[in-house]
Each structure stands twice: as C-alpha cells, then as structure tokens.
Amino acid sequence: MTIENEDQLDKLKAAGRLVARTLKAMGEALEPGMTTRELDQLGRAMLEAGGARSAPELTYDFPGATCISVGPDVAHGIPGDRVIQAGDLINIDVSAELDGFFGDTGASFAVPPVTKRVERLCRDGRRALWTGIRAVRPGADLNAPGREIEAFARRNGYSLVRNLASHGVGASLHEEPTEIATWVDRSDRRKITEGLVFTLEPFLSLGADWVDEVGDGWTLRPPGGEPTVQYEHTLVATRRGPLVMTLAE
C-alpha cells in the first residue's frame, strides 16, 4: 500500500509496534526445555491482548499464531512439540492485523552456547538488513536495497537465499509490490514511490542460496542444512528517509 495520510501512518505504526514488542518478548523468553508451541502461545497472548489477529492464521489458515523455525529450518515453521535445545538457531516471524493494518517482522535467535561462526552470522544478518534499509528513498530503484545487501554478503563471505523475497504490506499481509529481491535483480525496473509500505527481509546464509519445503506444506529448509538467518522490518519510504514501523520502542 501507499500511505496517504497521518491516520493511516499512525495505524500502521501501532500494528508494527505490537508485532515488534511481541517478537522481542518471544526472543527474551526463549530457553532450552520449552516447546515451540509454548513460545507461540506467548506470542498469541500478546497479540490478542493488543487487539490484533495473527496474520498467517487470518490470511493463510496457518496452524499457529506465529512462525517458529528451528534450524536447519529457516522459515514458516509450525509451532508444536519440538523442544528447544541449547545451541539451536531459531527464527521467529511475527505478523498481525490491527485495526485493518498489517505489521510484519522477524528475527533469528541463537540459543547459547553457540559457535563464534553462528554468533557472527546473526550479527551480520542484522547488519545486512540495515544496509538495505539505508538504501530506501523515494525515486530510488526498488532493487537498490537488494544491491546493497548482496554487496554486503559478498564482502563478508555469505550467500543469500534467492527464492524468498521481500514484499509489499499494509492493507494485507502480502501485496504489491511482490517479489522484492534482496540480491541484485537487473530485470527489476520498478521504483520506490513516496509513502510505499514494504518489508525488507534478507536471508543470509553460510552457503545456501535456495530453500525447499520439507513436506508439511509450510516449513522451508536449505537442502544442505546450512545455517541461515532472517531479519525483517516493515518500512515506509518518505522524503526524510525510511521509517521503520516495526521497532519495539
């Protein structure tokens, strides 16, 4: 969607703040011995207390309030009886509808103790996202963030998953512009327009450039099981620069 007035912006901020606070609380609650279902129940309770509805449930009838993927799975994991272990790399994706507007955010969390290699991957996953965010401005190529993210990945020895992309968001969970690459896509001639609402969500990996569905209809995993992280924010492009909607504070 394209933001047209302050009321829309305020409602989008409210949705974004709620999913961000939910993600933060879930990340802080992560500990060995809990199940992914218990973690999802925490997320559901926070969203419902804030008056929101789970976007994946609402939009796709997803079997959970949030997506929780335990490595080597990287996206769309179904909450269940899986017990979280020390050393796990876990991705949590939280999206919700509040008062007709959608917020979408995600992050990867390493459950200590983990290797220095995985710690660095998580750190650089966050850096890759913010490298892309800084390239967002009206009039720029829609693929400008992807060019910056790929340059960052190459400089630091990472690959990017290329069959998972960013997307428009706001009035629905997934909308135009679709398939926003977080890598160089020379075929994409689209421009960022003022007020455009979209996500950025690079999947930075220690070698994977593709993910496959594992057979449950949802969960995605690199064929080689390479450690992979995702960090995601919802943004609005403005003349003053990108506004990040999914900050907890």
Side-chain angles (χ1 to χ4, degrees):
M1 72 174 294
T2 298
I3 292 293
E4 297 175 345
N5 54 57
E6 286 296 321
D7 181 61
Q8 289 180 338
L9 183 61
D10 288 344
K11 289 180 177 178
L12 191 65
K13 284 179 179 176
R17 191 178 304 114
L18 179 57
V19 295
R21 289 176 175 171
T22 301
L23 176 66
K24 182 174 184 285
M26 292 174 72
E28 291 173 346
L30 262 178
E31 62 180 7
M34 74 186 309
T35 67
T36 55
R37 179 178 287 109
E38 289 170 334
L39 189 61
D40 182 64
Q41 288 169 344
L42 169 63
R44 180 186 300 280
M46 288 194 66
L47 293 176
E48 291 180 350
R53 297 183 291 175
S54 160
E57 278 188 340
L58 178 65
T59 306
Y60 298 111
D61 198 26
F62 180 76
T66 65
C67 299
I68 304 173
S69 308
V70 182
D73 302 338
V74 301
H76 304 167
I78 301 171
D81 295 328
R82 175 77 176 265
V83 176
I84 294 166
Q85 307 285 341
D88 280 342
L89 182 59
I90 297 176
N91 179 266
I92 304 173
D93 196 304
V94 182
S95 56
E97 178 272 331
L98 178 65
D99 201 17
F101 290 80
F102 287 75
D104 190 2
T105 190
S108 296
F109 301 87
V111 183
V114 294
T115 65
K116 293 291 186 184
R117 192 171 180 234
V118 170
E119 285 183 357
R120 178 175 176 267
L121 175 64
C122 292
R123 180 200 70 192
D124 286 344
R126 292 186 289 269
R127 291 174 64 198
L129 172 59
W130 283 97
T131 296
I133 289 173
R134 287 192 290 270
V136 173
R137 60 175 177 81
D141 293 339
L142 189 59
N143 190 227
R147 291 199 299 266
E148 296 300 320
I149 291 167
E150 181 169 315
F152 174 89
R154 287 184 179 276
R155 284 196 307 271
N156 291 280
Y158 297 105
S159 61
L160 290 159
V161 172
R162 294 172 182 257
N163 63 325
L164 290 171
S166 307
H167 55 90
V169 67
S172 57
L173 179 58
H174 295 105
E175 58 184 62
E176 295 291 339
T178 61
E179 300 298 323
I180 304 171
T182 56
W183 56 91
V184 175
D185 181 2
R186 293 182 176 84
S187 69
D188 192 347
R189 307 295 184 186
R190 297 172 295 180
K191 297 290 184 180
I192 297 173
T193 54
E194 186 174 353
L196 185 66
V197 186
F198 61 102
T199 70
L200 275 182
E201 48 178 312
F203 285 78
L204 196 73
S205 180
L206 292 172
D209 59 7
W210 194 263
V211 291
D212 294 320
E213 184 189 297
V214 301
D216 61 10
W218 297 102
T219 307
L220 299 174
R221 177 187 300 168
E226 298 89 344
T228 302
V229 296
Q230 176 247 30
Y231 294 88
E232 175 184 15
H233 277 307
T234 297
L235 316 168
V236 179
T238 79
R239 284 175 289 180
R240 299 184 300 278
L243 293 181
V244 180
M245 298 289 100
T246 42
L247 296 175
E249 305 299 336

